[in-house]
Amino acid sequence: MSMLTPPGMGGKKYRITGDRYPRMRRPRHRRRIALVITAAVCALTLAGWGTLQLIDVFGGKGGTAQAAQDKKKCPGPGGAQQAGAMASSGTGKPLPKPADVTVNVLNATARGGLAKTTADELKKRGFKVGKVGNAPPAYDKKVKGAGVLLGAQTTSEGGRKVLGTQLEAAESKTDTRKTGDVDLIIGDTFKALAEPAAAQKSLTALTAPSKADPHCRT
C-alpha cells in the first residue's frame, strides 16, 4: 500500500495536484489596532509640540530674538522726542525752539498798533522779537489775507514752520535774504494770533514722535 493511500480507502491511490496551497493570513483586526496606535502616537506628538510652543510664547522665551531685534530699533531716553522733531523739520535737523526764532512784526494794514500788540504777544509766547513797524512798500496795504510769513528758503522747514503755529491762516513765502529771521506781515483779515492753548498744541504736534512701536517700552 502506498503511503498516499489513507487507511480504509480500499487501496486506492490519490495524487495531490495543483499549485495552490492554503496560506495563513493575519487577522484584519490586528491591522486596525496597529493603525489606531500609530495615529494616537502622532496625535500625542503634535499635542506635545504645540504645548511647548505655547509655553515659549507666553513665557517670553519664543520672542527673545525678536525682542532683542526690536530693542535695537527703539530710541533711548529722550530719543523719541528728538526723532520726532527731526522728522517734522523735513531736513534732518531738529526744529528750532520759539526762543531761537527771531520775528519781525510788520503791519501792512491801515489799523494802527497791530504790530506792537502782536509783537508783545509773541514775546510772551517765547519768541524773540526783532523789528516792529510798518510793512515795506511791496506789501503795505497789499496783503488781503490774515498775514504773510516771509523768510529765506532755509526757514521754510524751520523758523517759518514754528511761527506758523501761531497764525495758521498766514501764507508762507520766500525771499532772498541770507539771515534766519522771519517777517510776520499782518494782513487785512488779521484779528489775533491763535489762542495760546491751540498754538501750543500745534507746536507740540510738530515735535511729537510718531506712533510708538508696541515693542518699545519706556
Side-chain angles (χ1 to χ4, degrees):
M1 181 183 294
S2 171
M3 293 181 67
L4 297 177
T5 304
M9 291 304 227
K12 294 183 179 181
K13 297 180 180 181
Y14 295 89
R15 182 176 296 176
I16 298 175
T17 61
D19 56 356
R20 294 185 179 181
Y21 299 89
R23 296 182 179 181
M24 300 299 291
R25 295 182 179 179
R26 293 182 179 179
R28 293 184 178 180
H29 67 277
R30 293 184 179 180
R31 293 183 179 179
R32 293 179 181 176
I33 293 174
L35 290 175
V36 170
I37 293 175
T38 302
V41 171
C42 292
L44 290 174
T45 302
L46 290 174
W49 181 82
T51 301
L52 290 175
Q53 293 299 314
L54 288 175
I55 292 174
D56 286 344
V57 170
F58 290 100
K61 296 180 180 180
T64 302
Q66 183 64 36
Q69 184 68 21
D70 292 337
K71 187 175 180 180
K72 294 179 181 180
K73 300 178 181 179
C74 298
Q81 184 174 0
Q82 182 178 3
M86 293 175 69
S88 298
S89 70
T91 61
K93 297 180 180 180
L95 284 168
K97 298 178 181 179
D100 298 326
V101 180
T102 299
V103 184
N104 304 312
V105 185
L106 308 174
N107 186 6
T109 74
R111 292 174 289 166
L114 284 181
K116 185 178 185 308
T117 56
T118 303
D120 291 343
E121 182 61 27
L122 286 173
K123 192 173 183 179
K124 291 179 182 178
R125 299 184 185 188
F127 287 87
K128 184 184 296 184
V129 176
K131 300 177 182 178
V132 178
N134 294 327
Y139 289 95
D140 192 28
K141 310 297 190 299
K142 297 177 183 179
V143 179
K144 303 302 180 184
V148 172
L149 304 181
L150 184 64
Q153 178 64 41
T154 55
T155 63
S156 61
E157 294 296 334
R160 269 188 290 157
K161 196 166 189 176
V162 173
L163 182 58
T165 61
Q166 311 302 308
L167 186 62
E168 294 185 351
E171 181 182 3
S172 185
K173 290 187 176 183
T174 301
D175 61 12
T176 58
R177 77 183 69 184
K178 302 298 182 181
T179 56
D181 58 322
V182 180
D183 294 346
L184 170 56
I185 305 175
I186 300 173
D188 293 341
T189 62
F190 175 87
K191 294 181 179 179
L193 295 174
E195 290 294 325
Q200 183 58 45
K201 183 177 180 180
S202 297
L203 185 60
T204 301
L206 283 181
T207 57
S210 58
K211 188 177 181 180
D213 189 321
H215 295 95
C216 297
R217 297 181 180 179
T218 56

